[in-house]
Amino acid sequence: MAKPVTERVMADDRYIVWLDIDNTLYTRSSRIAELMIERIHAYFLSMGFTDDDAHELHSKYYTQYGLALRGLMKHHNIDALDFDKKCDGSLPLEDILKPDPKVRKLIEDIDRSKARVWALTNAYSTHANRVLRVLNLSDLIEEIFYCDYSSPDFSCKPEPSFYAQALSTAGVTDPSKCLFVDDNLNNVRAAKSCGWGHCVLYSEREEDHSMSEHPKVEGVDAVIGNLQELRELWKQVFQVVP
Ligand SMILES: [Mg+2]
């Protein structure tokens, strides 16, 4: 059972695979992202903003802080846990998301003698746990490093302090041992800037695209269109299939 990490764990010199959750462990075509946007927009409206202002502020905060909620916390006096309940908490995840056996097998095939597997998410622990449970991945993720919405000045990706806290919590002394995949370019670039070993942008494309067809993106180590490509990129942590 994946659990939100609450205390620093012992130093460990294995590799550590950091998986983003939303729009990485499930496909963007599930349209969860759109449902999230609708709910966040409704939240802005409930604060008294006009439709236009709500769109503008949402986009501004997301771009500036990586998370609309981070902007709301900085500039408005809102209850982050109430926001979480009304936005992520009200998503009908059980009706939309289905476990993907290929994603499960991918994570199962990571050799635990070589690497730990953690989640690194901008969601709160409630949503992160719920998604992993619905996707039938909870037992494969050792710990979830999440945004602590209950703390008044929490940090999130892509802030360097968030990555530093993740390393410290995981007892990682050598950031080059971190292998990271996320669907958000800014998040991947930020990890790379923090010296993380191999940082991959997941950008969904047709499954038959080969690696050579992926665009080169500055500030990231690789762009993939299918999570299975990680088997090749992170050979050092996958079990050798006979
Ligand atoms: Mg994501």
Side-chain angles (χ1 to χ4, degrees):
M1 171 73 191
K3 57 186 185 297
V5 60
T6 49
E7 57 192 31
R8 191 186 161 115
V9 304
M10 296 288 285
D12 188 320
D13 60 5
R14 283 175 294 168
Y15 283 96
I16 181 162
V17 169
W18 297 97
L19 303 168
D20 172 46
I21 296 179
D22 287 299
N23 299 307
T24 294
L25 296 182
Y26 58 81
T27 171
R28 200 168 264 283
S29 65
S30 65
R31 303 189 63 79
I32 300 274
E34 283 77 3
L35 295 178
M36 276 184 191
I37 289 167
E38 280 174 23
R39 282 161 172 73
I40 296 170
H41 186 71
Y43 195 91
F44 276 94
L45 294 181
S46 76
M47 293 171 67
F49 291 110
T50 63
D51 204 48
D52 285 351
D53 286 350
H55 279 298
E56 193 186 318
L57 269 184
H58 182 183
S59 160
K60 184 177 150 193
Y61 290 162
Y62 180 76
T63 310
Q64 201 168 340
Y65 300 114
L67 194 61
L69 175 58
R70 185 83 164 106
L72 284 169
M73 296 285 286
K74 273 184 184 273
H75 303 290
H76 312 269
N77 191 20
I78 73 140
D79 176 348
L81 294 177
D82 175 65
F83 173 93
D84 185 59
K85 205 163 86 186
K86 290 178 176 151
C87 296
D88 285 357
S90 73
L91 291 166
L93 299 179
E94 289 79 1
D95 300 335
I96 299 173
L97 295 178
K98 298 277 172 290
D100 180 341
K102 286 192 208 149
V103 173
R104 185 172 169 86
K105 183 79 170 74
L106 176 80
I107 303 175
E108 269 176 352
D109 286 349
I110 296 171
D111 183 340
R112 304 309 160 115
S113 71
K114 295 176 182 160
R116 295 181 277 164
V117 180
W118 284 42
L120 186 74
T121 178
N122 270 0
Y124 187 49
S125 56
T126 321
H127 175 77
N129 265 310
R130 191 171 158 225
V131 174
L132 293 177
R133 189 174 62 244
V134 176
L135 294 176
N136 189 31
L137 298 174
S138 299
D139 58 316
L140 301 179
I141 307 291
E142 289 163 52
E143 308 274 3
I144 303 169
F145 193 82
Y146 63 97
C147 276
D148 186 5
Y149 295 179
S150 67
S151 163
D153 196 29
F154 69 84
S155 66
C156 62
K157 294 177 281 187
E159 295 169 48
S161 60
F162 188 71
Y163 299 86
Q165 282 167 24
L167 292 193
S168 159
T169 305
V172 176
T173 50
D174 177 3
S176 74
K177 292 284 182 129
C178 293
L179 311 176
F180 175 53
V181 62
D182 194 298
D183 66 295
N184 180 297
L185 176 58
N186 289 335
N187 295 348
V188 182
R189 280 186 172 143
K192 195 66 206 166
S193 302
C194 293
W196 287 27
H198 199 265
C199 303
V200 178
L201 176 66
Y202 174 45
S203 170
E204 286 183 61
R205 294 153 64 97
E206 295 301 316
E207 294 207 356
D208 59 358
H209 277 223
S210 69
M211 282 300 296
S212 59
E213 289 171 339
H214 290 304
K216 286 263 181 295
V217 177
E218 204 180 320
V220 312
D221 290 306
V223 183
I224 58 170
N226 183 320
L227 290 179
Q228 302 301 322
E229 292 173 69
L230 295 174
R231 292 178 184 275
E232 189 60 27
L233 288 172
W234 296 347
K235 264 190 211 141
Q236 66 272 44
V237 299
F238 278 93
Q239 290 168 16
V240 180
V241 182

